[in-house]
Amino acid sequence: MPATFRHFAINADDLPRAKRFYESVFGWRFDPWGPPGFYQIHNAGSGLIGALQERRELVPGTPMRGYEASFGVEDLHATIAAIEANGGRILMQPYRIEGVGELVYFEDSEGNFAGAMQYVPGFFD
């Protein structure tokens, strides 16, 4: 079951500074969405949504550095089973984002963190 690269998140210590940087360098447009301090980027690629958010720790004591990648999957629970069967581990149990889908974060066999999202039907239409 193939996965599609659908979402990335930029973690930032200073949201206004990071927003100005990406607006100036790449011409991205940021729209407030969801919780305070969270922005969506809609002009970063076809079929792709970006986010700018405050830096967080998916694993306590390990701040996220770099980008978070999330993959669109058809069956989240089958994906979780495949992650665990192939040497990965689940970092965050499935979390539903109303109107978007169900998300899980995992660590791959090499220690990289990523997300898998089963989007609601028609989300990208």
Side-chain angles (χ1 to χ4, degrees):
M1 138 179 43
T4 302
F5 182 58
R6 289 288 192 188
H7 186 268
F8 69 94
I10 302 167
N11 291 279
D13 295 316
D14 184 326
L15 288 172
R17 179 180 63 203
K19 186 172 170 285
R20 283 190 308 273
F21 177 86
Y22 286 98
E23 286 171 336
S24 297
V25 173
F26 295 129
W28 288 348
R29 186 187 80 247
F30 294 85
D31 298 317
W33 189 87
F38 186 91
Y39 297 90
Q40 282 191 333
I41 309 161
H42 291 281
N43 63 333
S46 180
L48 181 65
I49 296 176
L52 175 64
Q53 63 194 20
E54 291 181 346
R55 188 170 316 283
R56 61 191 182 149
E57 297 179 356
L58 291 175
V59 173
T62 306
M64 284 298 296
R65 296 285 174 204
Y67 289 61
E68 292 175 29
S70 293
F71 302 94
V73 299
E74 291 181 22
D75 183 335
L76 186 62
H77 296 286
T79 301
I80 290 169
I83 290 166
E84 293 175 330
N86 289 282
R89 75 180 173 117
I90 302 303
L91 300 174
M92 182 186 86
Q93 292 301 312
Y95 175 78
R96 178 163 299 285
I97 302 172
E98 285 304 316
V100 179
E102 195 170 13
L103 171 69
V104 66
Y105 281 100
F106 64 93
E107 181 177 17
D108 72 8
S109 62
E110 308 310 305
N112 300 302
F113 300 163
M117 170 80 87
Q118 183 176 334
Y119 289 91
V120 296
F123 183 78
F124 283 96
D125 295 337

